[in-house]
Amino acid sequence: MILDCANGVGSVPIKEIMGLAGFTEKLPLILFNCDEQPDNLNFKCGAEHIHKDQTAPTGWSPEKHAGKKCVSFDGDADRQMYYFGDDKGTFKIIDGDKQFALIMMYIKGLLKELNIEDKLSHILVQTAYCNSRVTTFLNNN
């Protein structure tokens, strides 16, 4: 999976989750746009860029990423856009309800496969306004 962190704070917790035993072996996660400098926040990257401009984020290329699952956070990681490059390298966006249902099913499957369901919990909040959020928490047990 390819994750665009929009040069925002979203890369901080995702790096912590990636540090869990077995996580990166089961899910090769590639992060990009992670510099966290205020001047670069959401600059030609992130969920808002994809949604508004309908174009791929800086750092994404059809040659490197076609056929891979890709997701972009917005700057504070409370929104995300899911996309991919088809077999011709054309940038394709999966938006709205479908995006969040697919992501939640994917996260649930990963937690089970990694056998860490008891260490992480997750929720999906979907509103008519379409300000959806997938949140994963580290359990303190």
Side-chain angles (χ1 to χ4, degrees), residues 29-92:
L29 185 60
I30 299 167
L31 305 180
F32 70 109
N33 295 326
C34 299
D35 82 13
E36 301 170 41
Q37 297 299 314
D39 291 344
N40 293 327
L41 181 65
N42 295 319
F43 183 71
K44 295 186 179 180
C45 62
E48 255 185 82
H49 167 78
I50 293 167
H51 179 73
K52 289 180 180 174
D53 295 346
Q54 300 287 298
T55 59
T58 298
W60 186 91
S61 72
E63 296 82 24
K64 287 176 28 182
H65 302 120
K68 296 189 174 148
K69 296 173 183 167
C70 304
V71 65
S72 288
F73 288 155
D74 73 333
D76 61 356
D78 70 345
R79 286 177 285 158
Q80 53 192 340
M81 290 294 292
Y82 185 78
Y83 53 95
F84 64 99
D86 66 13
D87 57 355
K88 295 176 184 164
T90 305
F91 182 71
K92 301 279 186 170

Side-chain angles (χ1 to χ4, degrees), residues 104 121-124 133-137:
M104 184 53 76
S121 60
H122 53 281
I123 58 173
L124 170 70
R133 177 185 299 216
V134 173
T135 305
T136 303
F137 299 96

